[in-house]
Amino acid sequence: QTQIDWWHAMGGELGEKTEALATAFNATQSEFVVVPSYRGSYAETMTGAIAAFRAGEQPDIVQVFEVGTGTMMAAEGAIVPVYQLMANAGVDFDPSAFLPAVVGYYTDPEGNMLSMPFNSSTPILYYNRNVFEAAGLDPNTPPTTWAEVEAFSRQIVSSGAAPCGFTSRWVSWAQLENFSAWHNQQIGTLQNGFGGLETELTFNGPVQVRHWENLARWEDEGLYRYAGPGGGNDAGPSFYSQTCGIMMESSAGRAGVMANATDFEVGFGMLPYYDDVPGAPQNSIIGGATLWVLAGGSEEEQRGVAEFFNFLSSPEVQAQWHQDTGYLPITQAAYELSQAQGYYEANPGADTSIRQMTLNPPTDNSRGLRFGNYVQIRTVIDEEFERLLSGAVDAQGALDAVVERGNALIRDFEDANG
Ligand SMILES: O=P(O)(O)OC[C@H](O)CO
């Protein structure tokens, strides 16, 4: 048997579902055995795989979050583009089978798919219907605007229904990147970096500044609970324990919510917006991750990887994965199969992610983002957000610093790869 090593970043419930996919594939044939290995957070998994490549000990497949795409694309000798892998292995591969938002994110300017779409998500809003009821709010009505998030949170806290109004995972992803797209505000020049390496960040405009100013104020007033840097791992537990009545989190938070929010009813809504910003709400952008193939594997291994990818993108496997986790159904066929199976009727709110992501045709501001060194820039976003919360800097100062420090990292990347 040929062994295929797969490094992934899926912990908890998502980890269990991920490992089950490898087991299922292994049971379909006897030529290859996929060995999944959990390597920590997305950032840790990516950094670990790059270090392993330098030492000649890389896995065949590594799961990389969407913001690592710019860096992986530039690592030419280190990766095998998926379209090439599939062609070499003689496996049929049609990029147009994937949802347009997914294709657009992971193809090169010629339309070639570079990594294998696997787990795409978008952030949505979860709320505790019991807490809403206890606070005298309508449990059938999630907040739709930030003014409502503030008012509802105030009512949740002042009524004693819960000690905190809302929390959010991923400040970077949800409260800056998606926030910008959802309000049709630019993240960076050259179509948010899709147009070339010589791009610059611009997400320190008045709309983003206003939002960060509000977040700091709401945190001060006890309406908003900061959930920590990176993924913001405290958000889930704060929501499950009914400490916070509202949570903004990946659509794939669904798996954790279903498993852990067992004492109360959960409602779903779209991300809130400022209703006086023209163009809002626009559309949210995808996150999650794709599977990159690292160079150096034997021909046999690469054939096994191609077979495994083919298995992963089959309508049945994709539809099941989507329904089990909350990740988007990334192919048209998986979406249609889920519809035909009656999944959305049986699970109200489960289509929130899809409706939100496709609410309007994307603009240059809302297609996604692609910058070199963006994993490092995410750390800068967290650092500056924490400086804002500590009162060391105001919102304009924090976002100006993100842009200045981020642009320096983008210039370093351009110098090294341009
Ligand atoms: O939690 P995920 O897998 O939906 O990913 C969230 C962000 O996109 C990570 O960059």
Side-chain angles (χ1 to χ4, degrees), residues 263-307:
D263 299 340
F264 59 94
E265 298 275 318
V266 179
F268 305 89
M270 292 196 192
L271 290 175
Y273 61 98
Y274 290 94
D275 58 2
D276 56 354
V277 173
Q282 170 54 43
N283 67 282
S284 62
I285 54 182
I286 60 168
T290 54
L291 303 181
W292 288 82
V293 184
L294 296 177
S298 67
E299 217 168 278
E300 266 315 282
E301 281 168 351
Q302 295 203 3
R303 207 163 56 76
V305 172
E307 293 295 342

Side-chain angles (χ1 to χ4, degrees), residues 10 14 42 65-67 119 121-122 169-170 173 249-252 286-289 327 378:
M10 305 272 87
L14 293 173
Y42 280 133
F65 55 169
E66 86 287 14
V67 289
N119 60 317
S121 59
T122 205
R169 287 205 68 205
W170 300 101
W173 184 49
E249 149 71 314
S250 166
S251 57
I286 60 168
Y327 280 113
R378 278 255 175 112

